[in-house]
Structures are given as structure tokens and as C-alpha cells.
Amino acid sequence: MAGNVWEWCLDAYVETYYLKSHEKDPVAEWTPETGERIYRGGGYTYGAHLARSAARAAGAPAMRSMSIGVRPARALDPRR
């Protein structure tokens, strides 16, 4: 499914979060004070180097675009 559109994620955007975290897949909790939220996996119109889940960008949660969407999923871990 990667490469269709960018996908909004639960994570807040904190520029140095991954450098400071000791977790393998850290989640920066979003609050109105943190501001921006992460979206990942650029759409096919952005080039192959961005059409992967490791590609990330940030935007205000109210931002709307035809190239950003969501992927509904059911989490097995009740903490996420």
C-alpha cells in the first residue's frame, strides 16, 4: 500500500525524538502544545525515494490535501 498517499500517524513531530529515544519504535504523544503531527510514506507523484514508510513529514492536524489520507487499522496492543 505504500506509495498511494501520505498517511497521517499518531506521532507528534519532534525533530530530535528518534535520536534521543531508546525504544525501537517510539511514539511521541501528540497534544495541542506539540503542534505538528507526522505523516509518512509519500504518494507516487513524489518519487520512489519518498514512497516508503520511513519517509516522514510534518503538518498541522487541520491541514488537508488530496495527497494525505488515513489508513484505518485495528491495534492489537490496547496502549496504541
Side-chain angles (χ1 to χ4, degrees):
M1 294 293 292
N4 292 337
V5 296
W6 292 92
E7 298 175 18
W8 283 112
C9 298
L10 178 66
D11 301 23
Y13 180 76
V14 179
E15 189 172 343
T16 59
Y17 192 76
Y18 289 105
L19 298 174
K20 295 179 180 180
S21 177
H22 298 288
E23 293 181 46
K24 185 175 182 180
D25 185 19
V27 175
E29 295 297 324
W30 183 86
T31 66
E33 290 77 36
T34 56
E36 296 184 309
R37 198 166 224 162
I38 296 291
Y39 52 94
R40 293 185 175 274
Y44 67 93
T45 60
Y46 293 92
H49 68 288
L50 293 178
R52 57 195 190 100
S53 61
R56 71 182 189 133
M63 184 175 79
R64 302 291 181 257
S65 171
M66 290 182 64
S67 62
I68 300 175
V70 297
R71 181 178 301 170
R74 181 177 155 214
L76 298 177
D77 183 348
R79 295 173 292 155
R80 294 193 179 204

